[in-house]
Each structure stands twice: as C-alpha cells, then as structure tokens.
Amino acid sequence: MSEFDLIRTYFAGLGARRTDVVLGVGDDCALLDLGADQWLAVSLDTLVAGVHFLADCDPEALGHKALAVGLSDLAAMGARPAWATLALTLPGADPAWVAAFAHGLGRLAKAHGVALVGGDTTRGPLAITVQVHGLVAPGQAIRRAGARPGDQVWVSGHLGDAGLALRRIQAGAPVSEPLRRRLERPDPRVAIGLRLRGLAHAMIDVSDGLAADLGHILEASGVGASVELAALPLSPDVAEALANGAGWDLPLAAGDDYELCFTAPAAHSGRIEAVALEARCPLTRIGCVTSEPGLRASQPDGALWPIARSGYDHFRDEA
Ligand code: ADP
Ligand code: MG
C-alpha cells in the first residue's frame, strides 16, 4: 500500500463525526470551527534522521526546517501562524546540539509570531515532530479543492533548488551557500499565502515536487492542467543543471521546495503580480487549469514530458 492508500484506508474519517470539523484529512491543514470569528488551522509533520535529513546535519538548520515545513502548510491555507508544539526524540542529551536546534527553531518562530506552547521529549532514534496551529477567518481558507477550468496556475519562488543541493551533497560535489540554504533553511511563504486570500481558488505547498502537489490540487478539484515547462521559474543553478542534461524531473519532482502552487482566475493576475512585489518573491504563471483531467507538461519544442514520478511515497518500495 502507498502512503496515501494507508491514510485513506485506515485514518480518513476515523473517530467521532463532529460538526465543528470544517475540513479533516486530505488538505495541508485541518480546519476547526471554534465558534469564534476564527477557524483554527492545524498541521503536523515529522522529520526522521536518514530519511528527511542526514544525521550529521547542522542542528540549527534542522530546528529551522522542522518548523518551516509546518509554517509552509499554514501558508498553503492562507492561515496566520500562532502556536507550535514540538515532539523531540533524541539518541542522547547533547546540550550543544539541543541549544543549536532550539535556537534555529526559536528564531523562525519569533519571526512569524509563533509561540512554542508544549511538546514531548523522549530518547530514541533522532526524529522531530512539529505541530503548527494558525488562524484564518471563516470561509477565507484556501483549500486544494477549488480550482476551476480557465484558472491560471501559479508558483512562487524557484523550483528544484533543494533537489539540486541534495543531489550535489549526495554526490560529494561542492554546493554553493545559497543553494544549501534552499535545502536546509526553506523560507515558508506565509506572507504570500495571507495575501492570496480572496484571490486564489486553490492552493498547496510544494513539498513533494510540483507534479505531485499540483496533482493533489487537480484531483481534489476534479480538473486537469496544462503546464509550460519553459515557464517554470528556475534559479541560475537549476537552469544550468538543466542545460547540462538534468531532466525536467529536477524542478518537477525532486521535492523539498516549500513554495506555493495555486490557481486563480485570469482577472486576478494584476493583483497577484502586486502581491509578488509586496512580498518580494516572484510569482510565476506556468499554465492553466483544464476540464480534461490529468497533468500535461509541454517541453519547449511542444512535445509532452512524460511525468514519471508522482512525488515521494514513504512506502513505494515495500512489497
Ligand atoms: P503535507 O504534504 O501537506 O504535509 P501529507 O501528504 O503528509 O500532507 O498528508 C496528506 C493528508 O493526510 C493531510 O491532510 C494529513 O493531515 C493527513 N494524514 C497523514 N497521515 C495521517 C495519519 N496517520 N492520520 C490521519 N491523517 C493523516
Ligand atoms: Mg502541504
């Protein structure tokens, strides 16, 4: 069974049915109606040593990334971050390591107005779980479902940087500092997510690669999309790697981008361009939503690129 089969079969809809659950399993965050004039947005992510990061990685960067991936999920709903809880499993109590980790997490939390309000600390193989809680006005959250034929497809920042950094590290090749930062200290696009409320029809954060994550929007919305590969926003490093023979899977499927992918009606394109200027982060139109299901990616010569991988699946290679 795939990761998604497991979730769908055993966990979606588990437990009591409650009328205050606006949105349960299946989006970047759950949405809970507290009866106040805010909905609570909740998301939880685990980073496991040897799977999500190398055991010898910089603990300060790890603290940053452990929170950043959660803030990215809040950004994808258009929610404002507020609180976090932290479950830390450590092989031993190394004060210098924990101090650096706490510093990295604390600095990002402060920058986004987030308070750490609880957690759990245990001994075992190194693993980190962060739960984030944010607020969004009722009806303002941007879900994966909501894309409509004719919408334009947009993506923030650049794609493929983290994947390229990881490939270079694994190959023992030199990695520039800016590229390493993109892998180790992603900058969650919270300000963009907030500004896209009322503009975007559907949104997701790109954690598993654009093809897989845009695929989740399309599936949830019951639509398809056509994407122009020549339009993908690429850093000079990734553009150079592509020119040197790296395939389109680098920006489409390498993952760990923590950018936002969203769809919006063409009438909002001017306001979306203004958001990019305000947030000082490029927003790029890469294609359009179609009523025909499926994701089609056209290469510069017009030929379709075969989208091979559908993102990272933790159980893909299990029998
Ligand atoms: P993301 O990439 O945004 O973190 P995931 O792909 O990890 O989202 O998860 C997809 C959806 O499944 C999310 O809504 C998540 O909350 C839910 N989910 C994942 N694992 C479980 C689980 N064990 N029990 C309940 N819900 C889960
Ligand atoms: Mg997500």
Side-chain angles (χ1 to χ4, degrees), residues 120-314:
D120 193 25
T121 306
T122 51
R123 182 191 282 245
L126 180 58
I128 300 142
T129 298
V130 173
Q131 185 170 36
V132 292
H133 310 73
L135 295 169
V136 60
Q140 290 264 295
I142 308 168
R143 309 173 188 210
R144 294 179 181 181
R148 297 179 210 161
D151 278 0
Q152 297 174 324
V153 180
W154 295 76
V155 67
S156 68
H158 297 116
L159 297 173
D161 290 342
L164 182 60
L166 183 62
R167 284 186 192 182
R168 290 196 174 153
I169 290 169
Q170 285 173 337
V175 189
S176 69
E177 260 326 290
L179 207 58
R180 180 184 291 274
R181 269 189 87 79
R182 293 277 290 151
L183 174 66
E184 295 186 346
R185 291 167 203 262
D187 185 11
R189 306 301 190 189
V190 173
I192 293 175
L194 289 170
R195 287 181 159 96
L196 288 173
R197 289 172 302 177
L199 296 178
H201 278 160
M203 184 149 63
I204 191 167
D205 71 317
V206 182
S207 53
D208 291 341
L210 178 74
D213 288 317
L214 175 53
H216 291 315
I217 287 186
L218 303 180
E219 203 177 309
S221 304
V223 295
S226 296
V227 164
E228 297 294 331
L229 292 172
L232 294 184
L234 307 177
S235 66
D237 284 309
V238 170
E240 189 193 319
L242 279 176
N244 290 334
W248 289 104
D249 278 350
L250 178 57
L252 282 179
D256 255 2
D257 297 297
Y258 298 105
E259 295 296 349
L260 294 176
C261 175
F262 59 96
T263 82
H268 289 163
S269 59
R271 288 167 72 190
I272 291 168
E273 277 156 15
V275 168
L277 290 177
E278 287 159 19
R280 293 200 205 124
C281 174
L283 295 174
T284 307
R285 244 173 304 176
I286 60 168
C288 60
V289 176
T290 60
S291 48
E292 189 193 337
L295 174 60
R296 291 159 300 278
S298 307
Q299 299 178 64
D301 66 2
L304 286 185
W305 172 261
I307 296 173
R309 289 193 48 186
S310 58
Y312 191 77
D313 179 337
H314 283 274

Side-chain angles (χ1 to χ4, degrees), residues 3-4 7 11 24-28 43-45 73 144 205 207-208:
E3 182 185 330
F4 296 106
I7 299 168
F11 300 114
V25 170
D27 215 304
D28 293 294
S43 174
L44 174 140
D45 280 283
D73 279 323
R144 294 179 181 181
D205 71 317
S207 53
D208 291 341

